[in-house]
Amino acid sequence: MAVGEEKKTRITVDIYGQTYTIVGTDSSAHVRQVATLVDDRMREIRGMNPYLDTTKVAVLTAVNSVHDYLKLQAEKELLEQELKKLKG
């Protein structure tokens, strides 16, 4: 294996009734956890909006996930700033 190359794995997962093959360097457990969280979020959104088609459910899931990510990033930055202040 060349320097900087990581072993890639192929994992098949089901998300919202569709089968996907994910190729990457993360563990299969991690990929399955991500797939489960996406599936759960899609089903939650569909439950609140039963009239939405799959594409709209997927887009709303992506929007909600990115929103959550950005909030967590902002919180992380605030915590890092507080930590810097405490360390002096």
Side-chain angles (χ1 to χ4, degrees), residues 29-49:
H30 176 78
V31 173
R32 290 184 199 292
Q33 180 183 24
V34 169
T36 297
L37 290 171
V38 171
D39 183 73
D40 289 349
R41 179 65 71 91
M42 288 182 75
R43 291 179 190 286
E44 176 186 333
I45 289 171
R46 177 60 187 256
M48 292 185 291
N49 305 285

Side-chain angles (χ1 to χ4, degrees), residues 22-77:
I22 310 294
V23 179
T25 57
D26 292 312
S27 72
S28 60
H30 176 78
V31 173
R32 290 184 199 292
Q33 180 183 24
V34 169
T36 297
L37 290 171
V38 171
D39 183 73
D40 289 349
R41 179 65 71 91
M42 288 182 75
R43 291 179 190 286
E44 176 186 333
I45 289 171
R46 177 60 187 256
M48 292 185 291
N49 305 285
Y51 57 88
L52 294 178
D53 63 31
T54 301
T55 300
K56 289 182 179 168
V57 170
V59 170
L60 284 174
T61 300
V63 168
N64 279 291
S65 296
V66 171
H67 171 74
D68 292 348
Y69 172 79
L70 291 175
K71 281 177 56 178
L72 287 171
Q73 279 294 107
E75 289 176 21
K76 176 183 167 272
E77 288 173 16

